[in-house]
Amino acid sequence: MREIPNISAACSDSIRQNGIMKIIAVCGMGIGTSVLLKMNAEKVLRQMGIDATVEATDMKTARESRDAQVILTTPDLAGLLTGLPSEIITIEHFFDLEEITNKLSKSLL
Amino acid sequence: MRFANLAAAFGENSIQVGALALDRSHAVQLAGDLLVASGRVHPDYTQEMIDVLDSHGPYIVIAPGIALAHSKPSNLVLETGMSLVVLAEPIEFGNKANDPVRLVFGFCAVDHDSHLGLLQDLAIALSEESFVNSLLNARDSEHLRSLL
């Protein structure tokens, strides 16, 4: 895996002002798929040196959420999560840490 | 035993190898039937799993060839558990990136957090390509159980 720069300095002002970045991992029910996504996202964020909290939630909670900088979900569910202030990142292969790393770096750098 | 939490989640009669399914709903039905057979859920839970697939789409296909079918904690769940159907012939779920599916996991949880160790095991196990291949090549349910 390629070297990942520490991006804390590159985070936006709002994220810096609010302290730790909040990411939500979303699936239909909030207990299975999203928890797997949360676990692997946390692993990747640690490797990237990014300080962030990741919460697993269901679609209903995600639709009401206004304070997450990033929503991690699947391509199928992303279409059902429109009109939110958060950036949406879709992950296709939940166990491919390289995919998660690449997409998070691209978005957060 | 490599994945203790995972192995413990599979009750008796919760694994089927060489199954045939007509379509994605049938494949999820088979995984639900195994959760029922192993005493983990009420039969209505199986219909909920199929409803999730219909209402939210094939997002449950979380990796190439692997689906994780589940609904939510409720009084239909008797005990947290898992089931696994290894399909003899792959089935299209409609997930562009990860179709077709040959491994269909059924999953039920009694609450929102007591199964985290189980999912941690699952995440580690399924990230190993060799492990996934060993599941696909299992001779029968007992052989598959011995791999966990």
Side-chain angles (χ1 to χ4, degrees):
Chain A
M1 197 179 291
R2 70 193 172 86
E3 197 179 327
I4 294 145
N6 184 321
I7 69 139
S8 55
C11 287
S12 74
D13 286 345
S14 66
I15 292 169
R16 265 206 300 268
Q17 278 160 14
N18 294 331
I20 297 175
M21 185 190 321
K22 182 176 170 186
I23 296 175
I24 55 176
V26 184
C27 78
M29 301 291 124
I31 62 150
T33 321
S34 58
V35 178
L36 291 173
L37 194 50
K38 167 189 150 80
M39 286 170 175
N40 282 338
E42 283 173 338
K43 201 182 286 178
V44 163
L45 288 163
R46 269 198 303 276
Q47 287 171 358
M48 292 168 76
I50 298 176
D51 208 4
T53 61
V54 188
E55 286 176 17
T57 77
D58 59 18
M59 291 290 285
K60 187 171 174 291
T61 311
R63 285 198 191 100
E64 292 160 2
S65 165
R66 290 290 177 273
D67 61 345
Q69 275 84 11
V70 171
I71 292 177
L72 277 177
T73 191
T74 75
D76 291 300
L77 295 181
L80 305 172
L81 286 168
T82 51
L84 294 174
S86 323
E87 178 177 3
I88 296 180
I89 300 177
T90 61
I91 303 295
E92 292 178 340
H93 184 342
F94 279 34
F95 305 112
D96 182 351
L97 298 185
E98 206 171 317
E99 179 189 346
I100 301 176
T101 304
N102 288 341
K103 289 184 173 172
L104 278 175
S105 323
K106 205 171 157 190
S107 159
L108 301 179
L109 271 169
Chain B
M1 196 176 292
R2 293 180 61 209
F3 304 107
N5 292 312
L6 192 56
F10 285 92
E12 269 189 63
N13 306 313
S14 61
I15 298 170
Q16 189 179 357
V17 170
L20 289 170
L22 300 170
D23 54 26
R24 66 181 197 176
S25 297
H26 188 207
V28 170
Q29 171 86 46
L30 292 174
D33 288 348
L34 295 174
L35 288 175
V36 175
S38 53
R40 303 296 168 115
V41 299
H42 184 277
D44 288 350
Y45 185 84
T46 302
Q47 187 56 49
E48 281 194 359
M49 297 203 305
I50 296 169
D51 291 345
V52 168
L53 185 59
D54 291 339
S55 62
H56 291 87
Y59 82 89
I60 64 168
V61 187
I62 52 176
I66 303 173
L68 178 65
H70 66 84
S71 181
K72 57 184 185 301
S74 75
N75 56 9
L76 296 177
V77 180
L78 310 173
E79 190 182 344
T80 295
M82 296 206 79
S83 65
L84 175 58
V85 178
V86 183
L87 296 167
E89 299 291 337
I91 289 282
E92 299 282 334
F93 271 59
N95 184 303
K96 277 187 206 139
N98 297 324
D99 264 344
V101 171
R102 271 200 67 206
L103 295 176
V104 184
F105 287 88
F107 169 58
C108 61
V110 292
D111 57 32
H112 280 81
D113 42 31
S114 63
H115 57 281
L116 297 182
L118 163 59
L119 290 183
Q120 193 88 59
D121 269 8
L122 189 69
I124 295 167
L126 295 184
S127 64
E128 291 177 19
E129 204 176 326
S130 58
F131 179 79
V132 173
N133 284 333
S134 70
L135 296 181
L136 288 168
N137 293 319
R139 290 186 300 276
D140 52 38
S141 59
E142 282 316 303
H143 179 212
L144 194 150
R145 187 181 293 278
S146 73
L147 302 169
L148 299 174

